[in-house]
Amino acid sequence: MVEKMKELVESWSFLDAAESNFRPLVVIELAKGTKEETIEWFTKRIVDKKANGGAQLLIKPLVTENGVENIYLVGASHLRLLLGAETVGLVKECSDNSMRTFTYSSRKTFKHFADDNHNFLTMAECQYIIKHELENLRAKNEKMIPGYPQAKLYPGKSIVRRLLTSGILVQIFPLHDREELKKLSHSWYGRVKVGYQPLDDIRCYFGETIALYFGFLEYFTFALIPMAVIGIPYYVFAWEDYDKYVMFATFNLLWSTVILEVWKRMCAILTYRWGTLLMKRQFEEPRPGFHGVLGINPVTGREEPVYSSIKRQLRIYLVSLPFVCLCLYFSLYVMMIYFDLEQWALDYDKENESVFSSLMLYVPSIIYAVVIEIMNRIYRYAAEFLTSWENHRLESSYQNHLILKVLVFNFLNCFASLFYIAFVLFDMKLLRQSLATLLITSQILNQFAESLLPYWLQKRYNRRMKKRMCSKKTDMDLSLAEQVNMEKEMGTYLGTFDDYLELFLQFGYVSLFSCVYPLAAVFAVLNNITEIYSDALKMCRVYKRPFAEPTASIGVWQLAFETMSVISVVTNCILIGMSPEVDALFPDSKMDLVLTVALVEHLLLAIKFIMAFVIPDKPRDIQMKLAKLEFESLEALKQQICLACL
Amino acid sequence: MVEKMKELVESWSFLDAAESNFRPLVVIELAKGTKEETIEWFTKRIVDKKANGGAQLLIKPLVTENGVENIYLVGASHLRLLLGAETVGLVKECSDNSMRTFTYSSRKTFKHFADDNHNFLTMAECQYIIKHELENLRAKNEKMIPGYPQAKLYPGKSIVRRLLTSGILVQIFPLHDREELKKLSHSWYGRVKVGYQPLDDIRCYFGETIALYFGFLEYFTFALIPMAVIGIPYYVFAWEDYDKYVMFATFNLLWSTVILEVWKRMCAILTYRWGTLLMKRQFEEPRPGFHGVLGINPVTGREEPVYSSIKRQLRIYLVSLPFVCLCLYFSLYVMMIYFDLEQWALDYDKENESVFSSLMLYVPSIIYAVVIEIMNRIYRYAAEFLTSWENHRLESSYQNHLILKVLVFNFLNCFASLFYIAFVLFDMKLLRQSLATLLITSQILNQFAESLLPYWLQKRYNRRMKKRMCSKKTDMDLSLAEQVNMEKEMGTYLGTFDDYLELFLQFGYVSLFSCVYPLAAVFAVLNNITEIYSDALKMCRVYKRPFAEPTASIGVWQLAFETMSVISVVTNCILIGMSPEVDALFPDSKMDLVLTVALVEHLLLAIKFIMAFVIPDKPRDIQMKLAKLEFESLEALKQQICLACL
């Protein structure tokens, strides 16, 4: 223990001597016209020693042809990064293949560690460490940001967050590694190939959250293939017998439970390999937008803004909840207009019976699908505004409230018309047609709006940029200054929320009415294959590199998908019960039919819950490895006590 | 850190000097005729220093009038107990009212701590520490127990467990504290009073598991009172309108969800106060009965018996599962005999129409209730035998499999006839009568078999004992030898399993058919009030004192109760749907009726799940306290790293 400390003390004090080669990792862009004293103070704090409350990082201004432009490059010495890895609690693989929390003193036991191996930490990890250190740069006695009296500070306040909210700091983003990116994009989407995505490489480059999304997308696509394969003959041979549909639906329901349970295991395998399964949760600081009167946090005992929980509850229940209900009502109102239009188109077709009029039959559905997408997007902004106005202290609580709001609305907005057609109009033909139109239109719109449009805009912008620079260099030959200038103009990737949401709605289209339209799974598979490519393109070419974010699971989305699969049991059972073929099996008594359907539904639900309970969330070998680590830490604790008795 | 160690080293080496007054805490009874060398070796190991692999406890033979009888009293010095408290990870209250893991070096910061205050640890805690130390007394190089070549040992095997399985060690049990017990029993059940049980005193005397059971029993009784109060007018005014029943059932269903959720919060409050909510889980050793070929445990890397998981699975699925199914079939068969008897009694009554024959009407139900109880008890032994034959490595896994087996059978055995009457015979009158008979008979039988019978037997035995000792002393004046001799003959309390099971079945009777027989809750409340008294009597007077067992929740029972409350939603909705009054509301279409019932059921289930999700499991102040502790430990970790930079 003592030796370890000594070693650590030495290593920290040797830090200054070790600044040999500066490798830019993160870019800080300050607003134009930021005062000199502010810049001086901020850079001093970044460079300053840990003991003086600094971040002990390296910083260099970016010099371009136009001179200094308030853009700074941040890096750190290899030693500093290793110490930072210990602070953020990175978990790396040891020489004996077990995963352990990295500590500087035990560094020699880790795989691929060598004092001169600067690739021991991936670039994404280094950037994550720097981001963590920058965000944890806290005010000491400063009452305000020097030069900006209106930007108040209090002891312990994150300086970077205050700079961001007061607009002095425009953005912080990690730099792309052009060479790595080229390699990655080649193996990821560069060639048409059958096979898996290079998830480990994606994780090394973009971090765990994004790699896990692509892992889920890939897993989900593979999991849909059996459903798609079974669904194709229904279309090809035009099977309309409901006993075949019953088989298909039953398979679907059990299959969707199995895939969600198996995903948990897959996820555990991935995140164990990446080390995030073992990473300890860090204490959550207030989120950037959180504001309140300065008070004492009862948990930390530190001075920070506090905001009464009752006020927040009032805002949630008196403003947000009514607003969401109003939006839901509006969405239902739009739905009723759609049905009027649909009726009008039918009448028109009957009257005219031309090619034009029969094409017109599809118009209301397409318009409705477009309107749904537009409403979803507008509501999204409103939900974000409201949730941020609710003033949640933690980012996680903010995210949960936002996701709940968005999910409820999107679910109703996308599926209400289908429910109405199925359970009020009892029109299976219309249901099938609507389902197909909605699914396909939303997929096309999404692909276009999410990836192709930004890609095209970005490409056009880049071409202009290059023209302005009057050079015909390829991306690889760009100077650092040019690279930074190009990347800082790229869009910011706003997280995996929209991507998961899209998958969630797709899962709804596939599973809720699967017994009516087995072809949905086929479209979903086709969409997801192109989705992988377009999302990959988006990550690599369209957006700024995002900071890596360690995560151990897909979080609340697992719950959302599971809820959807429970709802789909209910809808499918009702649909099957309503079918004329099943109806014909109970010629005497409708009661028996309904009771049988209800019984089957309850049995299916029971089987689902039992399956979810019986299938372990982690594979046996991961369980063993976790147990081993727990055992070791308990033994180490005992050793500490026992050492003393000798 | 270094200072702490030095202090600890000193305290351990001062241990020998501190043996001033010996307070007997735990009794060890060896078999008669145990070889001298075995006793010598065993006692030496108990007394030996920790550094030599001993337990460093104090031991004295019990000398009675008949000389030494192979009974030993185990105690420990105050200092040794404090160090043991650190080893087992006890959590105690600090001077600043926060709960913290006790460590010897930080002892001064704890409330009521003083070097001469021997009541800082409760007697139950001391006994738990001694049990833990004895069970962790492990073989070093011994190949067998000296004197018993057939009792094999291997390095790391718990000596006490081997002694127990080879019959050399008859039993280990903690001593009662006559004075404390008298105080406790007076405040607990000694006077007729309205009010709460002294849960904190019970916890101090019997430990957390038992106190939590009594806490749950009390909470559950209070929670049933609203149901009982609402149920009484149904009996008094003979309300038979189903709209009133509907109201009652709806209230019941939501209420049962609320009480189960609120219990989690109550439980968190109790266990936080007792420190067990914060206690770290210890590594689980193989359970005493576990056997196998000597191999290497992949988790610990130690030599210990291993038993292939596939063999265990085979035993479970090829033997246990078919056996359980057979028992379930048998139970249903017995049920059918009961219905034959019931029919016969009805016919007999019709033929004779005498007082005797009308009394005979109740006989089949009573016989069936008795048979159910007997079958439950026999099955219990079979389930225990089978589960132990399945050879589970961990006690927790053994318990889970046992509980699952017993719950499934008891559920079917107790409720199958009611389900049959309700949903096959559609005979609500018979249902009400059966329910009443089953509930009341099982309550009377349970109270008798569990508490009164053992109490009476124990009392008779004690009287004989005292007569043999030719003294007319009261319990208080007994010498230590007499007390030990009396207590060692008392029955052993086998844990809270049966007590929880009884409550579980009672909950079933109350909630499954609540809309038919609202009076069930009244009987349950009455039963539980006497149950508290008889269980308290049982704990204090009938059984040996059990070892305290720290626990943070009622474990798998929470899940069992929640499952029951989900099932009761389904049964109650069906019952209401079947009632003629509700039937009359839908004169035209039976379909509408069934669909409405199904809709209501799904809504209720959805509300239940949302409620379970929305109500936080821990009250806000406990959450804050836990967050504070987590924050402090994270800060301490950071401090350790940061200390190094100065």
Side-chain angles (χ1 to χ4, degrees):
Chain A
M1 201 65 199
V2 182
E3 269 174 47
K4 185 189 154 190
M5 277 188 190
K6 266 190 199 156
E7 196 181 1
L8 213 55
V9 171
E10 277 164 27
S11 55
W12 279 97
S13 48
F14 272 130
L15 259 184
D16 306 308
E19 301 175 20
S20 50
N21 51 344
F22 176 81
R23 183 192 180 202
L25 289 167
V26 172
V27 177
I28 293 181
E29 185 184 0
L30 295 178
K32 283 201 175 117
T34 305
K35 289 186 185 149
E36 245 347 281
E37 61 173 320
T38 315
I39 297 176
E40 200 176 306
W41 166 78
F42 185 44
T43 50
K44 186 176 178 307
R45 289 297 304 269
I46 291 176
V47 179
D48 216 353
K49 280 191 185 168
K50 267 277 184 189
N52 303 336
Q56 219 159 342
L57 300 171
L58 311 174
I59 190 163
K60 270 189 186 173
L62 180 77
V63 186
T64 59
E65 296 146 18
N66 318 332
V68 181
E69 278 191 280
N70 277 349
I71 293 177
Y72 294 84
L73 300 171
V74 181
S77 68
H78 183 52
L79 188 57
R80 175 69 189 86
L81 288 172
L82 290 178
L83 294 167
E86 179 168 347
T87 315
V88 298
L90 278 197
V91 173
K92 302 283 282 180
E93 193 175 1
C94 279
S95 311
D96 62 346
N97 293 328
S98 64
M99 304 297 297
R100 265 161 232 278
T101 307
F102 179 80
T103 61
Y104 184 72
S105 55
S106 65
R107 64 192 180 282
K108 307 265 193 229
T109 59
F110 286 84
K111 213 174 194 170
H112 304 309
F113 184 88
D115 277 323
D116 55 348
N117 175 11
H118 289 207
N119 292 325
F120 174 68
L121 298 174
T122 66
M123 191 171 168
E125 279 168 345
C126 294
Q127 288 165 337
Y128 173 68
I129 291 165
I130 289 184
K131 177 190 167 220
H132 179 267
E133 295 294 340
L134 285 176
E135 283 189 342
N136 275 286
L137 204 56
R138 288 172 191 291
K140 289 182 295 186
N141 318 325
E142 295 98 335
K143 287 267 171 291
M144 43 146 224
I145 287 173
Y148 294 86
Q150 79 283 9
K152 297 263 188 308
L153 284 174
Y154 52 88
K157 171 73 187 175
S158 164
I159 289 172
V160 168
R161 292 195 169 183
R162 170 58 74 234
L163 285 170
L164 273 171
T165 47
S166 43
I168 304 165
L169 188 59
V170 179
Q171 59 179 345
I172 302 185
F173 63 91
L175 266 181
H176 267 301
D177 180 337
R178 291 276 144 190
E179 210 160 322
E180 278 298 315
L181 185 63
K182 206 183 167 191
K183 266 193 242 166
L184 175 67
S185 58
H186 180 71
S187 67
W188 195 1
Y189 64 89
R191 56 213 154 107
V192 178
K193 42 126 211 189
V194 183
Y196 303 105
Q197 298 171 86
L199 285 183
D200 289 330
D201 296 339
I202 299 171
R203 175 246 165 183
C204 280
Y205 197 86
F206 288 111
E208 289 79 13
T209 305
I210 288 167
L212 212 53
Y213 162 69
F214 281 101
F216 182 68
L217 177 57
E218 178 179 285
Y219 170 81
F220 189 62
T221 310
F222 275 108
L224 283 178
I225 287 179
M227 274 154 88
V229 169
I230 299 180
I232 289 174
Y234 284 82
Y235 180 73
V236 176
F237 303 118
W239 286 346
E240 295 274 327
D241 334 344
Y242 264 79
D243 54 342
K244 292 212 178 67
Y245 276 155
V246 169
M247 269 173 53
F248 183 72
T250 315
F251 169 77
N252 251 12
L253 298 177
L254 297 180
W255 183 242
S256 68
T257 312
V258 171
I259 60 176
L260 290 176
E261 286 303 308
V262 172
W263 165 250
K264 279 192 214 155
R265 296 163 67 92
M266 291 282 294
C267 182
I269 294 175
L270 282 176
T271 52
Y272 176 81
R273 194 165 73 209
W274 296 341
T276 46
L277 190 63
L278 295 167
M279 236 168 132
K280 295 231 166 53
R281 209 161 53 84
Q282 304 268 328
F283 183 77
E284 263 191 287
E285 298 290 334
R287 62 184 297 268
F290 179 68
H291 55 86
V293 194
L294 217 57
I296 302 291
N297 181 323
V299 171
T300 61
R302 284 185 196 152
E303 217 180 4
E304 68 166 43
V306 282
Y307 187 77
S308 111
S309 158
I310 295 163
K311 270 194 203 166
R312 186 178 306 125
Q313 299 288 330
L314 284 179
R315 285 184 174 191
I316 292 175
Y317 289 108
L318 295 186
V319 180
S320 296
L321 191 64
F323 176 79
V324 172
C325 291
L326 205 74
C327 288
L328 293 179
Y329 175 79
F330 180 72
S331 153
L332 292 178
Y333 189 78
V334 169
M335 183 189 86
M336 295 317 294
I337 295 177
Y338 155 64
F339 284 113
D340 287 347
L341 269 181
E342 188 81 43
Q343 192 55 48
W344 174 83
L346 269 177
D347 294 345
Y348 182 80
D349 185 43
K350 249 185 212 156
E351 274 172 37
N352 296 280
E353 287 196 355
S354 65
V355 181
F356 174 74
S357 74
S358 67
L359 274 179
M360 279 297 282
L361 275 179
Y362 285 92
V363 171
S365 287
I366 293 173
I367 293 179
Y368 185 52
V370 174
V371 169
I372 282 180
E373 283 299 314
I374 295 170
M375 275 163 61
N376 278 350
R377 269 153 219 273
I378 294 175
Y379 177 81
R380 183 60 203 284
Y381 288 108
E384 265 171 28
F385 173 79
L386 268 182
T387 317
S388 122
W389 178 74
E390 280 163 20
N391 202 13
H392 293 275
R393 192 178 157 270
L394 298 180
E395 183 64 29
S396 58
S397 140
Y398 170 84
Q399 286 293 340
N400 287 341
H401 278 260
L402 178 63
I403 290 180
L404 188 66
K405 277 196 196 69
V406 173
L407 277 192
V408 168
F409 181 80
N410 280 32
F411 183 85
L412 198 85
N413 202 15
C414 292
F415 301 126
S417 66
L418 301 176
F419 275 94
Y420 187 80
I421 295 171
F423 304 128
V424 180
L425 302 182
F426 298 114
D427 187 342
M428 290 306 129
K429 223 184 127 203
L430 183 61
L431 177 62
R432 204 169 304 161
Q433 182 202 316
S434 277
L435 186 60
T437 323
L438 277 178
L439 176 65
I440 295 165
T441 318
S442 79
Q443 284 182 351
I444 292 172
L445 279 181
N446 261 315
Q447 296 261 5
F448 183 72
E450 264 186 24
S451 316
L452 299 179
L453 186 68
Y455 179 66
W456 179 71
L457 287 176
Q458 182 63 30
K459 208 148 195 184
R460 226 182 53 171
Y461 171 80
N462 282 0
R463 229 176 297 132
R464 260 194 315 190
M465 276 288 282
K466 273 188 206 160
K467 243 181 227 159
R468 218 195 303 157
M469 289 192 265
C470 293
S471 64
K472 294 212 149 54
K473 293 184 266 189
T474 65
D475 278 8
M476 291 299 292
D477 304 323
L478 285 174
S479 77
L480 184 64
E482 284 161 341
Q483 186 193 338
V484 170
N485 267 320
M486 214 166 83
E487 283 181 23
K488 88 176 163 64
E489 301 297 336
M490 287 169 122
T492 306
Y493 180 65
L494 292 169
T496 49
F497 186 102
D498 288 298
D499 298 317
Y500 277 116
L501 184 64
E502 201 188 324
L503 277 186
F504 172 75
L505 295 177
Q506 187 191 69
F507 184 59
Y509 285 122
V510 171
S511 62
L512 283 179
F513 307 97
S514 61
C515 62
V516 177
Y517 190 56
L519 220 54
V522 179
F523 283 109
V525 168
L526 290 179
N527 176 69
N528 286 0
I529 291 172
T530 56
E531 178 89 20
I532 290 177
Y533 284 90
S534 67
D535 279 354
L537 188 75
K538 179 174 86 175
M539 291 311 306
C540 294
R541 304 292 300 271
V542 178
Y543 288 122
K544 275 196 220 37
R545 184 175 189 169
F547 275 108
E549 208 50 67
T551 184
S553 70
I554 60 171
V556 72
W557 292 105
Q558 182 82 37
L559 187 69
F561 275 81
E562 280 167 9
T563 310
M564 181 70 94
S565 99
V566 168
I567 296 174
S568 69
V569 170
V570 181
T571 52
N572 278 295
C573 283
I574 301 177
L575 280 180
I576 290 173
M578 279 173 9
S579 69
E581 283 81 359
V582 174
D583 225 32
L585 292 178
F586 297 87
D588 306 325
S589 149
K590 290 283 154 274
M591 275 291 275
D592 284 354
L593 165 69
V594 177
L595 291 177
T596 313
V597 169
L599 189 71
V600 169
E601 186 223 331
H602 282 84
L603 273 181
L604 280 174
L605 282 177
I607 293 174
K608 264 182 90 74
F609 280 106
I610 293 171
M611 264 164 69
F613 191 76
V614 166
I615 300 177
D617 284 359
K618 293 186 185 99
R620 209 178 145 69
D621 63 317
I622 303 275
Q623 277 177 27
M624 295 293 270
K625 282 170 185 163
L626 293 179
K628 199 169 172 178
L629 284 173
E630 203 192 327
F631 173 74
E632 276 172 12
S633 79
L634 282 172
E635 281 300 289
L637 213 74
K638 262 193 213 160
Q639 285 294 321
Q640 260 186 32
I641 299 173
C642 277
L643 255 178
C645 359
L646 290 171
Chain B
M1 201 65 201
V2 182
E3 268 173 46
K4 186 190 154 188
M5 276 187 190
K6 265 190 200 158
E7 196 182 1
L8 213 57
V9 171
E10 276 164 27
S11 54
W12 278 97
S13 48
F14 273 128
L15 258 185
D16 305 308
E19 301 176 21
S20 50
N21 52 343
F22 177 81
R23 182 189 180 203
L25 288 167
V26 172
V27 178
I28 293 181
E29 185 185 359
L30 295 177
K32 279 194 178 126
T34 304
K35 288 183 185 154
E36 244 348 280
E37 61 174 319
T38 314
I39 298 176
E40 200 175 305
W41 166 79
F42 185 45
T43 51
K44 185 174 177 309
R45 288 299 302 271
I46 291 177
V47 179
D48 217 352
K49 280 191 184 166
K50 267 277 186 188
N52 302 335
Q56 218 158 340
L57 300 172
L58 311 173
I59 189 166
K60 269 190 186 174
L62 179 77
V63 185
T64 58
E65 296 147 17
N66 318 331
V68 182
E69 278 191 281
N70 278 348
I71 293 176
Y72 294 84
L73 300 172
V74 181
S77 68
H78 182 52
L79 187 57
R80 176 69 190 83
L81 288 172
L82 290 179
L83 293 168
E86 179 168 345
T87 316
V88 299
L90 278 197
V91 173
K92 304 282 282 179
E93 194 175 0
C94 279
S95 312
D96 62 347
N97 294 327
S98 65
M99 305 297 298
R100 267 160 228 276
T101 307
F102 178 81
T103 60
Y104 185 71
S105 55
S106 65
R107 63 192 181 282
K108 308 267 194 228
T109 60
F110 286 85
K111 211 174 196 170
H112 304 308
F113 184 89
D115 277 324
D116 56 348
N117 175 10
H118 289 207
N119 293 325
F120 174 68
L121 298 173
T122 66
M123 190 171 170
E125 280 168 346
C126 295
Q127 288 166 337
Y128 173 68
I129 291 165
I130 289 185
K131 178 191 166 218
H132 179 266
E133 294 294 341
L134 285 176
E135 282 188 343
N136 275 285
L137 204 56
R138 291 173 188 291
K140 290 181 296 186
N141 318 325
E142 296 99 333
K143 288 268 172 292
M144 43 148 224
I145 288 173
Y148 293 85
Q150 79 283 6
K152 297 264 190 304
L153 284 176
Y154 52 87
K157 170 75 188 174
S158 164
I159 290 172
V160 167
R161 292 194 167 183
R162 170 58 76 233
L163 285 170
L164 273 171
T165 46
S166 43
I168 303 165
L169 187 60
V170 179
Q171 58 179 345
I172 303 185
F173 64 91
L175 265 181
H176 266 302
D177 180 336
R178 292 276 143 190
E179 211 161 319
E180 278 298 316
L181 184 63
K182 209 183 164 188
K183 266 193 244 165
L184 175 66
S185 57
H186 180 71
S187 67
W188 196 359
Y189 64 90
R191 55 213 156 107
V192 178
K193 42 128 207 181
V194 183
Y196 303 106
Q197 300 171 85
L199 284 183
D200 289 330
D201 296 339
I202 300 172
R203 176 246 166 182
C204 281
Y205 197 86
F206 287 112
E208 288 79 14
T209 306
I210 289 167
L212 210 54
Y213 162 68
F214 281 100
F216 182 68
L217 177 57
E218 180 178 283
Y219 170 80
F220 189 61
T221 310
F222 275 108
L224 283 178
I225 287 178
M227 274 153 88
V229 168
I230 300 181
I232 289 174
Y234 284 83
Y235 181 73
V236 176
F237 303 118
W239 286 347
E240 295 274 326
D241 334 345
Y242 264 79
D243 53 341
K244 294 213 176 65
Y245 276 155
V246 169
M247 271 172 53
F248 183 73
T250 314
F251 169 76
N252 251 11
L253 298 177
L254 297 181
W255 183 241
S256 68
T257 312
V258 171
I259 60 175
L260 290 176
E261 285 303 310
V262 173
W263 165 249
K264 278 193 215 154
R265 297 163 67 92
M266 292 282 294
C267 183
I269 294 174
L270 282 175
T271 52
Y272 176 81
R273 194 165 72 211
W274 296 341
T276 46
L277 190 63
L278 294 167
M279 237 170 131
K280 294 232 166 53
R281 210 160 52 85
Q282 302 269 327
F283 183 76
E284 262 191 290
E285 298 290 333
R287 64 184 296 268
F290 179 68
H291 54 85
V293 194
L294 216 56
I296 303 289
N297 180 322
V299 171
T300 61
R302 284 184 195 154
E303 218 181 3
E304 69 166 43
V306 282
Y307 186 77
S308 111
S309 156
I310 296 163
K311 270 194 203 167
R312 188 179 304 125
Q313 299 288 332
L314 284 180
R315 285 185 175 191
I316 291 174
Y317 289 108
L318 295 186
V319 181
S320 296
L321 189 65
F323 176 79
V324 171
C325 291
L326 206 76
C327 287
L328 294 178
Y329 176 77
F330 182 72
S331 152
L332 292 178
Y333 190 77
V334 169
M335 185 189 83
M336 296 316 295
I337 294 178
Y338 156 65
F339 283 113
D340 287 347
L341 270 181
E342 189 80 45
Q343 194 54 49
W344 176 82
L346 268 176
D347 294 346
Y348 182 81
D349 184 42
K350 250 185 210 156
E351 275 172 38
N352 296 280
E353 288 196 352
S354 63
V355 181
F356 174 74
S357 73
S358 67
L359 274 178
M360 278 299 282
L361 274 179
Y362 285 92
V363 171
S365 286
I366 294 173
I367 292 179
Y368 185 52
V370 174
V371 169
I372 282 179
E373 283 298 314
I374 295 172
M375 274 163 61
N376 277 350
R377 269 152 218 276
I378 294 175
Y379 177 81
R380 181 67 202 282
Y381 288 108
E384 267 171 26
F385 173 80
L386 268 182
T387 316
S388 120
W389 177 75
E390 280 163 20
N391 203 12
H392 292 276
R393 193 178 156 268
L394 298 179
E395 184 65 28
S396 58
S397 139
Y398 169 85
Q399 286 293 340
N400 286 343
H401 278 260
L402 179 63
I403 289 180
L404 187 66
K405 279 197 193 69
V406 173
L407 276 192
V408 169
F409 182 79
N410 280 32
F411 183 84
L412 199 85
N413 203 16
C414 292
F415 301 125
S417 66
L418 300 176
F419 275 94
Y420 187 80
I421 295 170
F423 305 126
V424 180
L425 301 183
F426 298 113
D427 186 344
M428 291 305 130
K429 223 184 127 202
L430 183 61
L431 178 61
R432 204 169 303 161
Q433 181 201 316
S434 277
L435 187 60
T437 324
L438 277 178
L439 176 66
I440 296 166
T441 318
S442 79
Q443 285 183 349
I444 293 174
L445 279 181
N446 261 316
Q447 296 261 7
F448 183 73
E450 263 185 26
S451 316
L452 300 179
L453 186 67
Y455 179 67
W456 178 71
L457 287 175
Q458 182 64 30
K459 207 145 199 187
R460 224 181 57 171
Y461 172 80
N462 282 1
R463 231 178 294 131
R464 259 195 316 191
M465 277 288 284
K466 274 188 202 160
K467 243 181 227 162
R468 219 198 298 161
M469 288 191 266
C470 294
S471 63
K472 294 210 149 57
K473 295 184 267 191
T474 66
D475 277 9
M476 290 300 292
D477 304 322
L478 285 175
S479 78
L480 184 65
E482 284 162 340
Q483 185 193 340
V484 171
N485 267 318
M486 215 166 81
E487 282 182 20
K488 86 177 164 64
E489 300 297 337
M490 285 168 123
T492 306
Y493 179 65
L494 293 170
T496 48
F497 187 102
D498 289 297
D499 297 317
Y500 277 116
L501 184 63
E502 203 187 320
L503 277 186
F504 173 74
L505 294 177
Q506 188 192 69
F507 184 59
Y509 285 122
V510 171
S511 63
L512 283 179
F513 306 98
S514 62
C515 61
V516 177
Y517 190 57
L519 219 55
V522 180
F523 283 109
V525 169
L526 290 180
N527 175 69
N528 285 1
I529 291 172
T530 56
E531 179 91 18
I532 290 175
Y533 284 90
S534 68
D535 278 356
L537 188 76
K538 179 174 88 176
M539 290 311 305
C540 293
R541 305 291 302 270
V542 178
Y543 288 123
K544 276 196 214 47
R545 183 176 189 169
F547 275 108
E549 207 54 65
T551 184
S553 70
I554 61 171
V556 72
W557 292 106
Q558 182 82 37
L559 186 69
F561 275 80
E562 280 167 9
T563 311
M564 181 70 94
S565 98
V566 168
I567 296 174
S568 69
V569 171
V570 181
T571 53
N572 278 296
C573 283
I574 301 178
L575 280 179
I576 289 173
M578 282 177 4
S579 69
E581 282 81 359
V582 175
D583 227 31
L585 292 178
F586 297 87
D588 305 325
S589 148
K590 290 281 153 276
M591 276 291 275
D592 284 354
L593 164 69
V594 176
L595 291 177
T596 313
V597 169
L599 190 70
V600 169
E601 186 222 331
H602 282 84
L603 273 181
L604 281 174
L605 282 177
I607 293 173
K608 265 182 89 75
F609 280 105
I610 292 171
M611 265 162 70
F613 192 75
V614 166
I615 301 177
D617 285 359
K618 292 183 186 104
R620 210 178 145 71
D621 63 316
I622 303 276
Q623 277 177 28
M624 295 292 270
K625 283 171 184 163
L626 292 179
K628 198 169 173 180
L629 284 173
E630 203 192 326
F631 173 74
E632 276 172 10
S633 80
L634 282 172
E635 281 300 287
L637 213 76
K638 264 193 212 160
Q639 285 295 321
Q640 259 185 34
I641 298 174
C642 278
L643 254 178
C645 358
L646 291 170

